[in-house]
């Protein structure tokens, strides 16, 4: 059996959580492979809304196993809060939520370093979620990090103190930021008990054995490909590989075991935090997209920057990920427009190109748009592709033609059932 992948093709918040929750029913296991509590995945069903940060989006499906893989960075404090929310929602998760021993731990001082580093950058800040993601991955690659499995070791406290000391020394080079380290440390050590109560596993063995036993596995991406540490709009990116290749290292599966890759994109484009965004709209259309699409961050509540869909960018991320099927979300947000626009090429350095420049953060990229007729009616009650307005069908055909990839799902609302299979 192969492992299927769902990931975001833009700058995150494409609606991955909703799609994973919808499809999870067809799988035995859902596994997160990178990122951490910088993610905010929203699920809506039964009149309720849930936001998950570290816990995989398959947790609400009975019997389904959820794995937090080795590529994830885990903050026991936010994790405990999520666990409490699951308890409050009466979700029986105890036997179904497994955590990789090799996943790295986010310490309170990682969050402090994140805040101090951003403060030092001033106007050039990344716009980090301040969850400690960058400093934790730095300790991982710098070979200083602490891992989930380490909490079981008798000398864990000593290791913690040694790393904390190093962090406090590093903090000397940064401006001071307000942070109650004593209180955060107390919360950190208390929350480790919640983590210890779960099954801590060697997730690479677990996942590979499950594949050998013909179990169906879905890997759930966090962030989006344009935030990938290698291929995103560097340095305005996150600190992990968000592309399909991240599944191999973040779960320990070989490349030939990757099956379907479902790329999720909004019907328009958003970004939260700093960095280049060629199709960003600073006018009333951008404001309309924000209000219609309720574009406020699931993790930080920040207003998301909004703009038209960017097809050269999607072509790039489809290439990087080997996307085999596309899922277009938030199509309903475009109902209000008579006309739509899609960037089909860029102009930069006096040339036209459908490829992204090396340094988007430095090169001013001007999008070249194609105007497309909108459908301009409500899609309420339309559950079948065949009865969708012709203009909407043409829009989907246009996307498929340009992107050379089949659209297999269209999401028409935040609720679980608002999904049209094509
Ligand atoms: P994720 O990080 O990719 O899981 O996405 P987020 O949950 O951060 O952001 C997506 C937002 O859009 C959430 O508030 C979802 O409830 C909402 N959403 C998802 N799909 C749709 C859709 O098709 N239409 C509308 N209007 N909202 C959607
Ligand atoms: P999901 O999984 C949108 C952005 C931050 C910032 C940059 C770096 O919900 O799609 P970090 O905290 O990783 O150091 O922040 O990346 N960012 C996201 N934007 N959705 C996310 O996750 C994001 N995770 C990080 O806003 O610009
Ligand atoms: Mg999100």
């Amino acid at each position: 059996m192969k492992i299927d992948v769902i990931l975001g093709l833009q700058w995150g918040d494409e609606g991955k959580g909703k799609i994973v929750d919808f499809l999870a029913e067809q799988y035995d296991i859902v596994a997160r492979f990178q990122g951490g509590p910088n993610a905010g995945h929203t699920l809506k069903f039964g009149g309720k809304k849930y936001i998950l940060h570290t816990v995989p989006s398959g947790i609400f499906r009975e019997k389904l196993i959820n794995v937090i893989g080795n590529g994830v960075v885990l903050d026991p404090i936010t994790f405990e809060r999520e666990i409490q929310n699951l308890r409050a929602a009466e979700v029986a998760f105890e036997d179904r939520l497994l955590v990789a021993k090799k996943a790295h731990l986010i310490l309170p001082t990682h969050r402090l370093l994140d805040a101090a580093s951003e403060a030092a950058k001033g106007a050039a800040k990344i716009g980090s979620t301040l969850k400690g993601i960058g400093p934790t991955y730095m300790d991982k690659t710098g070979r200083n990090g602490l891992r989930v499995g380490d909490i079981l070791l008798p000398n864990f406290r000593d290791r913690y103190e040694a790393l904390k000391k190093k962090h406090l020394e590093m903090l000397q080079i940064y401006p001071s930021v307000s942070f109650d380290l004593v209180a955060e440390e107390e919360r950190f050590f208390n929350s480790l008990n919640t983590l210890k109560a779960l099954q801590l596993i060697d997730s690479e063995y677990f996942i590979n054995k499950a594949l050998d036993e013909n179990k169906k596995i879905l890997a759930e991406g966090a962030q989006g490909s344009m935030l990938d540490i290698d291929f995103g709009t560097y340095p305005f990116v996150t600190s992990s590989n968000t592309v399909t290749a991240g599944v191999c290292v973040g779960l320990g599966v070989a490349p030939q075991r990757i099956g379907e890759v479902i790329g999720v994109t909004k019907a328009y484009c958003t970004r939260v935090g700093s960095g280049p965004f060629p199709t960003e709209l600073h006018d009333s259309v951008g404001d309309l997209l924000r209000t219609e699409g309720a574009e406020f961050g699931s993790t930080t509540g920040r207003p998301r920057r909004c703009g038209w869909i960017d097809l050269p960018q999607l072509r790039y991320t489809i290439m990087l990920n080997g996307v085999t099927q596309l899922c277009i979300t938030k199509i309903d947000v475009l109902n209000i427009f008579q006309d739509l626009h899609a960037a089909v090429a860029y102009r930069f350095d006096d040339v036209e190109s459908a490829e992204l420049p090396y340094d988007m953060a430095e090169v001013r990229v001007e999008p070249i748009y194609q105007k497309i007729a909108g459908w301009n009616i409500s899609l309420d009650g339309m559950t079948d592709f065949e009865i969708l307005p012709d203009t909407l069908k043409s829009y989907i055909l246009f996307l498929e033609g340009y992107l050379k990839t089949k659209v297999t799902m269209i999401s028409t609302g935040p609720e679980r059932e608002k999904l049209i299979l094509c």
Side-chain angles (χ1 to χ4, degrees):
M1 197 54 95
K2 298 204 171 195
I3 180 166
D4 295 337
V5 184
I6 288 196
L7 41 71
L9 298 178
Q10 299 169 312
W11 280 284
D13 301 331
E14 296 89 350
K16 301 172 291 292
K18 174 197 157 153
I19 307 304
V20 171
D21 167 62
F22 178 88
L23 292 180
E25 217 181 18
Q26 305 168 19
Y27 288 87
D28 300 302
I29 298 169
V30 171
R32 277 275 306 268
F33 58 92
Q34 47 68 235
N38 49 350
H41 295 181
T42 315
L43 282 55
K44 255 188 167 177
F45 54 87
K48 294 215 173 89
K49 174 172 151 177
Y50 305 92
I51 300 179
L52 297 170
H53 300 285
T54 315
V55 173
S57 299
I59 200 71
F60 293 99
R61 298 291 195 174
E62 242 179 273
K63 296 202 183 107
L64 195 137
I65 303 282
N66 290 262
V67 175
I68 296 172
N70 59 276
V72 172
V73 289
L74 184 143
D75 183 341
I77 299 175
T78 43
F79 186 61
E80 181 175 55
R81 218 178 297 136
E82 280 187 78
I83 296 283
Q84 283 162 355
N85 291 342
L86 290 178
R87 287 212 176 97
E90 295 182 357
V91 178
F93 63 87
E94 284 82 356
D95 304 336
R96 305 188 291 118
L97 182 56
L98 318 180
V99 185
K101 285 192 214 155
K102 292 193 174 80
H104 276 247
L105 286 172
I106 302 177
L107 272 46
T109 40
H110 283 129
R111 280 189 288 130
L112 179 49
L113 277 166
D114 209 358
S117 157
E118 283 283 81
K121 284 194 162 105
K125 70 175 183 184
I126 306 294
S128 157
T129 58
L130 303 181
K131 302 294 176 192
I133 305 297
T136 307
Y137 278 114
M138 277 167 72
D139 269 340
K140 175 179 177 175
T141 51
R143 296 158 295 181
N144 297 309
L146 292 176
R147 301 185 292 176
V148 166
D150 296 342
I151 65 174
L152 304 173
L153 301 176
N155 67 349
F156 177 70
R157 183 83 203 205
D158 297 341
R159 289 184 178 214
Y160 171 89
E161 292 297 337
L163 188 52
K164 176 183 135 188
K165 184 166 172 283
K166 192 161 182 264
H167 290 165
L168 294 179
E169 282 162 13
M170 286 164 72
L171 280 161
Q172 302 298 319
I173 63 165
Y174 290 125
S176 67
V177 288
S178 119
F179 193 88
D180 188 346
L181 184 55
V182 175
E184 293 299 324
E185 279 189 300
E186 196 184 332
R187 289 170 72 203
F188 178 84
F189 280 99
N190 286 338
S191 65
L192 292 183
N193 293 325
T194 302
L195 196 51
K196 279 182 193 159
L198 296 175
Q199 284 182 65
L200 308 183
I201 59 164
D202 293 310
S203 61
E204 62 278 37
Y205 281 115
F206 182 86
I207 295 283
N208 281 287
K209 272 183 198 154
L211 288 172
D212 291 343
E213 288 163 6
N214 284 330
K215 295 263 170 35
K216 289 197 74 186
I217 308 183
L218 182 61
E220 172 180 6
Q223 290 79 56
S225 304
M226 294 307 292
L227 289 170
D228 181 272
I229 183 71
D230 280 275
F231 300 106
T233 43
Y234 193 87
F236 300 98
V237 293
T238 190
S239 298
S240 64
N241 280 117
T242 59
V243 293
T244 305
V247 176
C248 298
V249 287
L251 290 174
V253 293
Q256 67 269 28
R257 297 201 95 152
I258 303 287
E260 290 294 312
V261 179
I262 302 163
V264 186
T265 171
K266 282 181 190 172
Y268 50 100
C269 196
T270 65
R271 169 164 210 171
V272 61
S274 327
F277 179 0
T279 61
E280 181 172 13
L281 294 166
H282 297 281
D283 57 8
S284 57
V285 178
D287 293 342
L288 266 177
L289 285 170
R290 187 172 310 105
T291 41
E292 276 299 301
E295 294 296 356
F296 297 89
S298 317
T299 298
T300 57
R302 291 177 291 178
R304 294 181 185 138
R305 301 155 63 191
C306 298
W308 294 119
I309 197 164
D310 184 338
L311 300 184
Q313 182 248 291
L314 283 175
R315 247 191 203 165
Y316 180 63
T317 54
I318 286 169
M319 171 186 82
L320 294 172
N321 289 300
V323 170
T324 58
Q325 20 175 327
L326 279 171
C327 169
I328 317 275
T329 58
K330 304 195 94 160
I331 203 103
D332 53 302
V333 176
L334 300 184
N335 292 353
I336 52 167
F337 295 103
Q338 298 261 345
D339 293 310
L340 312 174
H341 296 266
V344 288
Y346 297 144
R347 194 172 292 118
F348 55 90
D349 296 339
D350 293 329
V351 289
E352 228 176 78
S353 173
E355 293 189 1
L356 277 60
Y358 156 68
D359 195 352
M360 246 204 203
E362 292 295 327
V363 178
R364 216 190 97 72
V365 171
E366 192 193 325
I368 299 169
Y369 287 109
Q370 182 162 328
K371 192 163 140 185
I372 302 148
W375 42 96
N376 206 204
I377 54 161
S378 163
L379 303 175
D380 273 356
M382 297 193 194
T383 51
D384 195 89
F385 184 77
E386 290 314 316
I387 61 165
L388 290 176
D390 285 342
T391 33
L392 172 47
K393 285 191 210 156
S394 313
Y395 178 60
I396 300 296
L397 279 176
F398 163 72
L399 294 179
E400 288 187 330
Y402 186 99
L403 299 171
K404 297 190 175 58
T405 313
K406 179 98 191 85
V407 174
T408 56
M409 282 172 270
I410 301 173
S411 176
T412 59
E415 296 81 12
R416 187 188 266 173
E417 61 279 4
K418 291 212 170 153
L419 196 79
I420 300 174
L421 304 178
C422 319

